[in-house]
Amino acid sequence: MDESHIEGDLVNILFTEEQIQSRLGELAAEIEAEYEGKDILLVGVLRGAVMVMADLARHFSRHLEMDWMAVSSYGSGTKSSGVVRILKDLDTDISGRHVIIVEDIIDTGLTLSWLVSNLTSRAPASVEICTLLRKPEALQMSVDVKWVGYDIPNEFVVGYGLDYAERYRNLRSIGTLAPHVYS
């Protein structure tokens, strides 16, 4: 799906499909150089990171492993409950492994901070974070992110895995959602 299918729903396009793919290629090259001669386990955070992780992995020129987690810090509403729950845990034992958490977006950093702590307690060789997007103005918890695709303003963005009410995930670009859609 491209932006012509949702005319009027976006204020603007922040990143095109081509820009996203180019940046993911750069990130993959940086990660490969950092981990030369070492096995890598990419851990995607469901559901938003599906597109990012799939395309990031395709940019690698060597073998790597992938696994998935689903975590939630929200109750029934839109405010964080303060409690993080694992909805789907890893299938892989990460002890002694080089783990890279792959995220679509980091905003408050609260859930990600908890996730890093949880994974670190499982005795991996290392845990690093790669995210396509980060909202520096929204951060409430300091999180050490090694690879960032783009820093963006604190706006509601959709596309390329990012959703509003489970819509827009399959948009090939990333754009700012028009307020009339969610107000």
Side-chain angles (χ1 to χ4, degrees), residues 155-182:
E155 298 173 342
F156 201 129
V157 295
V158 294
Y160 199 72
L162 299 155
D163 76 299
Y164 171 68
E166 294 302 322
R167 298 183 64 180
Y168 307 101
R169 284 193 198 277
N170 60 328
L171 180 62
R172 292 185 179 115
S173 55
I174 295 172
T176 305
L177 192 62
H180 74 81
V181 175
Y182 57 89

mmCIF file of all heavy atoms in Angstrom, residues 155-182:
data_model
loop_
_atom_site.group_PDB
_atom_site.id
_atom_site.type_symbol
_atom_site.label_atom_id
_atom_site.label_comp_id
_atom_site.label_asym_id
_atom_site.label_seq_id
_atom_site.Cartn_x
_atom_site.Cartn_y
_atom_site.Cartn_z
ATOM 1 N N GLU A 155 5.723 13.259 17.091
ATOM 2 C CA GLU A 155 4.456 13.275 16.362
ATOM 3 C C GLU A 155 3.956 11.848 16.190
ATOM 4 O O GLU A 155 4.717 10.895 16.322
ATOM 5 C CB GLU A 155 4.660 13.919 14.978
ATOM 6 C CG GLU A 155 5.118 15.356 15.039
ATOM 7 C CD GLU A 155 5.465 15.921 13.669
ATOM 8 O OE1 GLU A 155 5.689 15.141 12.720
ATOM 9 O OE2 GLU A 155 5.531 17.151 13.558
ATOM 10 N N PHE A 156 2.676 11.709 15.879
ATOM 11 C CA PHE A 156 2.081 10.387 15.676
ATOM 12 C C PHE A 156 2.392 9.930 14.256
ATOM 13 O O PHE A 156 1.878 10.477 13.292
ATOM 14 C CB PHE A 156 0.562 10.456 15.892
ATOM 15 C CG PHE A 156 -0.044 9.115 16.190
ATOM 16 C CD1 PHE A 156 -0.861 8.965 17.282
ATOM 17 C CD2 PHE A 156 0.193 8.012 15.390
ATOM 18 C CE1 PHE A 156 -1.442 7.731 17.571
ATOM 19 C CE2 PHE A 156 -0.360 6.782 15.660
ATOM 20 C CZ PHE A 156 -1.188 6.640 16.758
ATOM 21 N N VAL A 157 3.256 8.921 14.135
ATOM 22 C CA VAL A 157 3.660 8.437 12.816
ATOM 23 C C VAL A 157 3.148 7.027 12.574
ATOM 24 O O VAL A 157 2.983 6.238 13.507
ATOM 25 C CB VAL A 157 5.194 8.488 12.630
ATOM 26 C CG1 VAL A 157 5.686 9.924 12.649
ATOM 27 C CG2 VAL A 157 5.919 7.667 13.679
ATOM 28 N N VAL A 158 2.885 6.739 11.304
ATOM 29 C CA VAL A 158 2.397 5.424 10.899
ATOM 30 C C VAL A 158 3.125 4.981 9.636
ATOM 31 O O VAL A 158 3.769 5.770 8.954
ATOM 32 C CB VAL A 158 0.866 5.427 10.636
ATOM 33 C CG1 VAL A 158 0.082 5.680 11.914
ATOM 34 C CG2 VAL A 158 0.497 6.423 9.558
ATOM 35 N N GLY A 159 2.980 3.703 9.342
ATOM 36 C CA GLY A 159 3.562 3.132 8.141
ATOM 37 C C GLY A 159 4.765 2.277 8.460
ATOM 38 O O GLY A 159 5.363 2.390 9.529
ATOM 39 N N TYR A 160 5.073 1.384 7.554
ATOM 40 C CA TYR A 160 6.237 0.518 7.678
ATOM 41 C C TYR A 160 6.287 -0.192 9.032
ATOM 42 O O TYR A 160 7.271 -0.166 9.747
ATOM 43 C CB TYR A 160 7.520 1.320 7.405
ATOM 44 C CG TYR A 160 8.690 0.423 7.073
ATOM 45 C CD1 TYR A 160 8.752 -0.240 5.866
ATOM 46 C CD2 TYR A 160 9.705 0.228 7.985
ATOM 47 C CE1 TYR A 160 9.804 -1.085 5.579
ATOM 48 C CE2 TYR A 160 10.763 -0.614 7.710
ATOM 49 C CZ TYR A 160 10.811 -1.270 6.502
ATOM 50 O OH TYR A 160 11.852 -2.125 6.232
ATOM 51 N N GLY A 161 5.151 -0.768 9.409
ATOM 52 C CA GLY A 161 5.035 -1.501 10.669
ATOM 53 C C GLY A 161 4.355 -0.722 11.774
ATOM 54 O O GLY A 161 3.779 -1.309 12.687
ATOM 55 N N LEU A 162 4.418 0.595 11.715
ATOM 56 C CA LEU A 162 3.797 1.434 12.738
ATOM 57 C C LEU A 162 2.319 1.586 12.421
ATOM 58 O O LEU A 162 1.947 1.827 11.274
ATOM 59 C CB LEU A 162 4.459 2.813 12.764
ATOM 60 C CG LEU A 162 5.937 2.805 13.103
ATOM 61 C CD1 LEU A 162 6.616 4.040 12.536
ATOM 62 C CD2 LEU A 162 6.127 2.713 14.590
ATOM 63 N N ASP A 163 1.490 1.485 13.470
ATOM 64 C CA ASP A 163 0.051 1.470 13.203
ATOM 65 C C ASP A 163 -0.707 2.482 14.049
ATOM 66 O O ASP A 163 -0.201 3.025 15.022
ATOM 67 C CB ASP A 163 -0.511 0.079 13.498
ATOM 68 C CG ASP A 163 -0.656 -0.191 14.991
ATOM 69 O OD1 ASP A 163 0.366 -0.161 15.714
ATOM 70 O OD2 ASP A 163 -1.785 -0.429 15.449
ATOM 71 N N TYR A 164 -1.944 2.664 13.647
ATOM 72 C CA TYR A 164 -2.965 3.282 14.483
ATOM 73 C C TYR A 164 -4.174 2.362 14.371
ATOM 74 O O TYR A 164 -4.691 2.141 13.265
ATOM 75 C CB TYR A 164 -3.342 4.694 14.017
ATOM 76 C CG TYR A 164 -4.548 5.212 14.756
ATOM 77 C CD1 TYR A 164 -4.462 5.505 16.113
ATOM 78 C CD2 TYR A 164 -5.777 5.352 14.129
ATOM 79 C CE1 TYR A 164 -5.574 5.932 16.819
ATOM 80 C CE2 TYR A 164 -6.893 5.783 14.816
ATOM 81 C CZ TYR A 164 -6.785 6.067 16.165
ATOM 82 O OH TYR A 164 -7.888 6.485 16.869
ATOM 83 N N ALA A 165 -4.594 1.781 15.510
ATOM 84 C CA ALA A 165 -5.728 0.849 15.546
ATOM 85 C C ALA A 165 -5.540 -0.281 14.522
ATOM 86 O O ALA A 165 -6.477 -0.656 13.828
ATOM 87 C CB ALA A 165 -7.043 1.585 15.322
ATOM 88 N N GLU A 166 -4.310 -0.786 14.445
ATOM 89 C CA GLU A 166 -3.928 -1.889 13.552
ATOM 90 C C GLU A 166 -4.022 -1.547 12.069
ATOM 91 O O GLU A 166 -3.950 -2.423 11.217
ATOM 92 C CB GLU A 166 -4.741 -3.166 13.853
ATOM 93 C CG GLU A 166 -4.441 -3.756 15.207
ATOM 94 C CD GLU A 166 -2.973 -4.124 15.404
ATOM 95 O OE1 GLU A 166 -2.322 -4.608 14.455
ATOM 96 O OE2 GLU A 166 -2.459 -3.916 16.517
ATOM 97 N N ARG A 167 -4.134 -0.276 11.741
ATOM 98 C CA ARG A 167 -4.155 0.154 10.344
ATOM 99 C C ARG A 167 -2.836 0.841 10.004
ATOM 100 O O ARG A 167 -2.124 1.295 10.881
ATOM 101 C CB ARG A 167 -5.326 1.105 10.115
ATOM 102 C CG ARG A 167 -6.670 0.425 10.389
ATOM 103 C CD ARG A 167 -7.801 1.328 10.104
ATOM 104 N NE ARG A 167 -7.793 1.623 8.667
ATOM 105 C CZ ARG A 167 -8.660 2.395 8.060
ATOM 106 N NH1 ARG A 167 -9.620 2.958 8.748
ATOM 107 N NH2 ARG A 167 -8.587 2.628 6.778
ATOM 108 N N TYR A 168 -2.522 0.911 8.744
ATOM 109 C CA TYR A 168 -1.367 1.614 8.175
ATOM 110 C C TYR A 168 -0.047 0.841 8.272
ATOM 111 O O TYR A 168 0.968 1.301 7.772
ATOM 112 C CB TYR A 168 -1.164 3.020 8.807
ATOM 113 C CG TYR A 168 -2.390 3.879 8.756
ATOM 114 C CD1 TYR A 168 -3.195 4.026 9.881
ATOM 115 C CD2 TYR A 168 -2.749 4.532 7.583
ATOM 116 C CE1 TYR A 168 -4.335 4.814 9.841
ATOM 117 C CE2 TYR A 168 -3.889 5.326 7.534
ATOM 118 C CZ TYR A 168 -4.681 5.460 8.662
ATOM 119 O OH TYR A 168 -5.801 6.236 8.623
ATOM 120 N N ARG A 169 -0.015 -0.326 8.925
ATOM 121 C CA ARG A 169 1.243 -1.074 9.056
ATOM 122 C C ARG A 169 1.873 -1.387 7.701
ATOM 123 O O ARG A 169 3.077 -1.393 7.557
ATOM 124 C CB ARG A 169 1.026 -2.393 9.802
ATOM 125 C CG ARG A 169 0.856 -2.262 11.284
ATOM 126 C CD ARG A 169 0.969 -3.636 11.954
ATOM 127 N NE ARG A 169 0.418 -3.650 13.294
ATOM 128 C CZ ARG A 169 1.072 -3.262 14.378
ATOM 129 N NH1 ARG A 169 2.298 -2.815 14.278
ATOM 130 N NH2 ARG A 169 0.496 -3.319 15.551
ATOM 131 N N ASN A 170 1.060 -1.688 6.708
ATOM 132 C CA ASN A 170 1.588 -2.094 5.407
ATOM 133 C C ASN A 170 1.844 -0.935 4.448
ATOM 134 O O ASN A 170 2.153 -1.147 3.283
ATOM 135 C CB ASN A 170 0.676 -3.139 4.753
ATOM 136 C CG ASN A 170 -0.733 -2.628 4.513
ATOM 137 O OD1 ASN A 170 -1.246 -1.811 5.271
ATOM 138 N ND2 ASN A 170 -1.361 -3.128 3.466
ATOM 139 N N LEU A 171 1.775 0.289 4.951
ATOM 140 C CA LEU A 171 2.174 1.452 4.162
ATOM 141 C C LEU A 171 3.689 1.384 3.963
ATOM 142 O O LEU A 171 4.434 1.157 4.909
ATOM 143 C CB LEU A 171 1.779 2.732 4.910
ATOM 144 C CG LEU A 171 2.093 4.069 4.259
ATOM 145 C CD1 LEU A 171 1.340 4.215 2.937
ATOM 146 C CD2 LEU A 171 1.732 5.201 5.213
ATOM 147 N N ARG A 172 4.152 1.558 2.752
ATOM 148 C CA ARG A 172 5.581 1.392 2.437
ATOM 149 C C ARG A 172 6.451 2.541 2.922
ATOM 150 O O ARG A 172 7.656 2.403 3.061
ATOM 151 C CB ARG A 172 5.763 1.206 0.938
ATOM 152 C CG ARG A 172 5.191 -0.105 0.461
ATOM 153 C CD ARG A 172 5.498 -0.316 -1.017
ATOM 154 N NE ARG A 172 4.966 -1.582 -1.421
ATOM 155 C CZ ARG A 172 3.995 -1.728 -2.301
ATOM 156 N NH1 ARG A 172 3.463 -0.671 -2.884
ATOM 157 N NH2 ARG A 172 3.553 -2.917 -2.608
ATOM 158 N N SER A 173 5.858 3.691 3.158
ATOM 159 C CA SER A 173 6.589 4.861 3.641
ATOM 160 C C SER A 173 6.184 5.111 5.097
ATOM 161 O O SER A 173 5.340 4.408 5.648
ATOM 162 C CB SER A 173 6.266 6.073 2.779
ATOM 163 O OG SER A 173 4.869 6.287 2.744
ATOM 164 N N ILE A 174 6.798 6.126 5.703
ATOM 165 C CA ILE A 174 6.433 6.535 7.058
ATOM 166 C C ILE A 174 5.976 7.978 6.993
ATOM 167 O O ILE A 174 6.658 8.836 6.418
ATOM 168 C CB ILE A 174 7.622 6.407 8.027
ATOM 169 C CG1 ILE A 174 8.028 4.933 8.168
ATOM 170 C CG2 ILE A 174 7.278 7.008 9.401
ATOM 171 C CD1 ILE A 174 9.314 4.724 8.949
ATOM 172 N N GLY A 175 4.791 8.233 7.576
ATOM 173 C CA GLY A 175 4.254 9.581 7.544
ATOM 174 C C GLY A 175 3.603 9.971 8.852
ATOM 175 O O GLY A 175 3.323 9.119 9.700
ATOM 176 N N THR A 176 3.355 11.251 8.985
ATOM 177 C CA THR A 176 2.671 11.781 10.159
ATOM 178 C C THR A 176 1.169 11.649 9.947
ATOM 179 O O THR A 176 0.635 12.122 8.941
ATOM 180 C CB THR A 176 3.037 13.269 10.365
ATOM 181 O OG1 THR A 176 4.462 13.388 10.431
ATOM 182 C CG2 THR A 176 2.417 13.814 11.640
ATOM 183 N N LEU A 177 0.503 11.001 10.891
ATOM 184 C CA LEU A 177 -0.934 10.782 10.792
ATOM 185 C C LEU A 177 -1.678 12.081 11.062
ATOM 186 O O LEU A 177 -1.358 12.816 12.003
ATOM 187 C CB LEU A 177 -1.366 9.700 11.779
ATOM 188 C CG LEU A 177 -2.773 9.133 11.620
ATOM 189 C CD1 LEU A 177 -2.945 8.455 10.249
ATOM 190 C CD2 LEU A 177 -3.080 8.137 12.728
ATOM 191 N N ALA A 178 -2.663 12.373 10.247
ATOM 192 C CA ALA A 178 -3.478 13.583 10.416
ATOM 193 C C ALA A 178 -4.306 13.466 11.685
ATOM 194 O O ALA A 178 -4.911 12.425 11.944
ATOM 195 C CB ALA A 178 -4.377 13.774 9.201
ATOM 196 N N PRO A 179 -4.361 14.531 12.492
ATOM 197 C CA PRO A 179 -5.111 14.496 13.757
ATOM 198 C C PRO A 179 -6.575 14.103 13.609
ATOM 199 O O PRO A 179 -7.136 13.469 14.491
ATOM 200 C CB PRO A 179 -4.966 15.922 14.298
ATOM 201 C CG PRO A 179 -3.705 16.428 13.693
ATOM 202 C CD PRO A 179 -3.629 15.788 12.321
ATOM 203 N N HIS A 180 -7.199 14.447 12.490
ATOM 204 C CA HIS A 180 -8.626 14.104 12.324
ATOM 205 C C HIS A 180 -8.850 12.596 12.311
ATOM 206 O O HIS A 180 -9.962 12.142 12.607
ATOM 207 C CB HIS A 180 -9.216 14.762 11.074
ATOM 208 C CG HIS A 180 -8.781 14.116 9.780
ATOM 209 N ND1 HIS A 180 -9.363 12.981 9.278
ATOM 210 C CD2 HIS A 180 -7.798 14.462 8.912
ATOM 211 C CE1 HIS A 180 -8.769 12.646 8.141
ATOM 212 N NE2 HIS A 180 -7.811 13.529 7.889
ATOM 213 N N VAL A 181 -7.818 11.804 12.048
ATOM 214 C CA VAL A 181 -7.966 10.342 12.001
ATOM 215 C C VAL A 181 -8.097 9.773 13.410
ATOM 216 O O VAL A 181 -8.868 8.844 13.635
ATOM 217 C CB VAL A 181 -6.774 9.686 11.274
ATOM 218 C CG1 VAL A 181 -6.873 8.172 11.327
ATOM 219 C CG2 VAL A 181 -6.680 10.169 9.836
ATOM 220 N N TYR A 182 -7.348 10.316 14.370
ATOM 221 C CA TYR A 182 -7.336 9.731 15.706
ATOM 222 C C TYR A 182 -7.995 10.614 16.792
ATOM 223 O O TYR A 182 -8.009 10.243 17.946
ATOM 224 C CB TYR A 182 -5.919 9.378 16.142
ATOM 225 C CG TYR A 182 -4.910 10.503 16.139
ATOM 226 C CD1 TYR A 182 -4.726 11.304 17.247
ATOM 227 C CD2 TYR A 182 -4.128 10.751 15.017
ATOM 228 C CE1 TYR A 182 -3.800 12.324 17.251
ATOM 229 C CE2 TYR A 182 -3.188 11.781 15.009
ATOM 230 C CZ TYR A 182 -3.026 12.556 16.140
ATOM 231 O OH TYR A 182 -2.116 13.570 16.121
#
